[in-house]
Amino acid sequence: MSSPPFSHVVLSSHPGTGGSVHAPEIRWGAATAAERGPVVATLTDPRRRNAIGTHAGAYALYRALAVASGALDRDHRPDFTDTAPAAGIGPHPQWAEPGNIVSLDPWGHLVPEVFAAQIAAGLDLRPTIAVTRAHINMPELKDAIVKGRLTPDGAILHANGDVRVTKAAIDPVWWLPGIAARFKVREAALRRALFEQTGGMFPELVTRPDLKVFLPPIGGMTLYFFGDVAQLGRPETRVACRVHDECNGSDVFGSDICTCRPYLAHGIEVCIEMAQQGGVGLVVYNRKEGRALGEVTKFLVYNARKRQAGGDRAETYFERTECVAGVQDMRFQELMPDVFHWLGITRIDRWASMSHMKLGALTQAGIEVVEQVAIPDDLIPSDARVEMDAKKAAGYFSHDTPSEEELALPKGRGLEE
Ligand SMILES: [Zn+2]
């Protein structure tokens, strides 16, 4: 048994005790990085922190295990050599419009560059966004080539199905007054709920109203860009987009109870087409598993749906979720448009989604959607008909709305099939 040496615990839960006197000021929404100031959420010097929570979202808990077990030095500082973004993003005018971006740090990918002087002076700062390049390959895209829906061009799409992409990983950074305003609640009420629902994990939420920035311990998002990222933010650039909320069972393992992976693959197809026409395609992949209810709740609901009297059918699709979770959905699209403001996007020419909630959130944020693209029927697996019909009946975008008789018909497989 060995443990790393610990000094006394420094609490930053009250102003002055941990001491915020040395912490840089954050002016959220300022036009330049210098005026905005760095977000200090590292733990090396508690007196210089100006944010609640810490980096890496839920992975902070693994870091704690690494420190506790002695595998990681608690004072480790990253070496940022050669880690700069593989493509330039921003700054865009939207970064300086108050209230536009409240759930991510627009300067997050540029931290080592724009705050180089502070880092050199000893401040421990970390990027909350990273931008790199990759090739992706999905069997559905090869199938689209075989069926003639996609044509390889040797640059964006190769004959073997490889697609060149730029991708960005984004950790959430919440500006609490802006989050409260977005949800039309008082900041104090928001802070209290965050404090209580995390089991009191972040006392500063209630004891430090002077700290306005919170790095929540949740998953963020990954962006996949098709085409030239530098074209974004120009009014003439045509943009195709799918905003996709994580569904591990379907996205990764091809589970056929929902339409998630088919929709993702179709969205990527629409994005590749747009890039080949000189525009930019964008897939926003949000870590909001199971409508942000998590997989345990999701699997409980699957059982409840398939075991109910009358079988798995569209008319009880949302009801069965609500019985288990208390709500039908916790994704809250209110924060979703932030990423478009970050990218300087004011218009989406082709929008590969049927969700009226996502569309409503974009419109609310002043982002124009020109054309909504529905998924072709032949890409929907048969067990997922229950989900598709339920969503159409609830107001999701489609060219046909199922009748009441149609919704009452059991269509999903039984549990033992
Ligand atoms: Zn799914």
Side-chain angles (χ1 to χ4, degrees):
M1 294 285 282
S2 72
S3 285
F6 281 111
S7 55
H8 62 285
V9 171
V10 181
L11 290 176
S12 56
S13 52
H14 289 79
T17 51
S20 58
V21 280
H22 305 290
E25 195 183 338
I26 299 174
R27 289 188 203 90
W28 196 265
T32 65
E35 292 167 87
R36 208 293 302 275
V39 172
V40 192
T42 45
L43 306 160
T44 27
D45 185 354
R47 296 165 308 156
R48 304 181 86 175
R49 282 165 52 81
N50 59 16
I52 304 167
T54 186
H55 288 282
Y59 296 108
L61 280 296
Y62 284 105
R63 191 173 62 231
L65 286 181
V67 169
S69 64
L72 174 67
D73 176 359
R74 61 201 283 268
D75 293 326
H76 170 77
R77 301 280 286 264
D79 172 357
F80 293 122
T81 307
D82 290 337
T83 63
I89 294 172
H92 293 291
Q94 287 94 327
W95 295 14
E97 288 167 25
N100 250 352
I101 300 174
V102 301
S103 61
L104 60 89
D105 177 2
W107 302 97
H109 55 318
L110 302 173
V111 165
E113 177 193 331
V114 297
F115 300 119
Q118 287 91 332
I119 293 173
L123 207 52
D124 184 9
L125 303 177
R126 310 281 164 98
T128 52
I129 299 175
V131 185
T132 188
R133 290 217 169 93
H135 283 199
I136 62 167
N137 196 310
M138 296 168 77
E140 289 91 337
L141 300 177
K142 283 187 193 166
D143 195 47
I145 295 172
V146 170
K147 296 214 165 96
R149 295 198 307 271
L150 284 177
T151 311
D153 55 73
I156 293 156
L157 175 65
H158 294 268
N160 68 355
D162 272 10
V163 188
R164 285 180 60 205
V165 296
T166 301
K167 56 181 184 176
I170 304 179
D171 277 343
V173 178
W174 287 4
W175 183 54
L176 292 169
I179 300 273
R182 202 68 73 82
F183 285 90
K184 299 181 175 65
V185 296
R186 285 184 307 114
E187 187 186 331
L190 171 71
R191 284 171 170 266
R192 186 178 178 136
L194 288 170
F195 171 71
E196 289 178 350
Q197 294 302 315
T198 53
M201 195 184 253
F202 304 100
E204 296 98 323
L205 285 166
V206 287
T207 62
R208 295 287 306 270
D210 57 313
L211 297 179
K212 300 289 187 191
V213 171
F214 175 44
L215 279 67
I218 56 174
M221 66 180 100
T222 312
L223 311 183
Y224 282 82
F225 300 95
F226 304 80
D228 181 10
V229 179
Q231 302 293 325
L232 291 174
R234 299 178 190 171
E236 67 274 20
T237 302
R238 296 188 73 227
V239 174
C241 180
R242 165 146 186 87
V243 171
H244 192 89
D245 294 330
E246 177 176 34
C247 172
N248 182 270
S250 174
D251 293 345
V252 178
F253 292 95
S255 163
D256 69 346
I257 193 171
C258 56
T259 49
C260 300
R261 183 172 168 111
Y263 233 113
L264 180 62
H266 174 249
I268 291 172
E269 209 177 300
V270 171
C271 285
I272 292 170
E273 280 169 0
M274 183 58 87
Q276 289 181 325
Q277 293 161 14
V280 179
L282 167 66
V283 171
V284 179
Y285 192 89
N286 286 310
R287 294 299 171 346
K288 289 181 179 175
E289 176 60 57
R291 294 189 217 138
L293 302 170
E295 265 198 331
V296 171
T297 297
K298 185 181 194 174
F299 290 5
L300 295 174
V301 171
Y302 286 164
N303 283 346
R305 274 173 52 189
K306 289 184 177 290
R307 284 190 180 122
Q308 69 187 321
D312 191 11
R313 58 200 193 277
E315 66 174 4
T316 56
Y317 173 83
F318 288 111
E319 190 186 310
R320 294 313 306 164
T321 306
E322 203 167 341
C323 287
V324 179
V327 292
Q328 295 180 358
D329 198 318
M330 280 201 230
R331 282 175 293 179
F332 295 112
Q333 301 297 343
E334 282 87 342
L335 304 177
M336 181 271 283
D338 283 21
V339 71
F340 294 97
H341 294 312
W342 181 58
L343 296 168
I345 294 173
T346 54
R347 189 192 69 242
I348 298 164
D349 297 276
R350 302 203 78 207
W351 171 243
S353 168
M354 57 190 282
S355 164
H356 56 308
M357 285 176 280
K358 289 176 185 168
L359 184 66
L362 285 179
T363 310
Q364 190 83 25
I367 294 156
E368 184 194 352
V369 173
V370 178
E371 181 196 356
Q372 201 166 3
V373 186
I375 190 166
D377 265 353
D378 58 329
L379 296 182
I380 301 165
S382 60
D383 200 42
R385 285 280 157 198
V386 177
E387 181 202 273
M388 283 303 275
D389 285 356
K391 286 181 169 179
K392 286 178 183 176
Y396 276 55
F397 172 76
S398 77
H399 296 294
D400 60 285
T401 306
S403 66
E404 268 176 46
E405 298 76 49
E406 183 88 3
L407 296 173
L409 291 174
K411 287 172 194 156
R413 268 198 315 273
L415 264 188
E416 310 303 331
E417 287 173 67

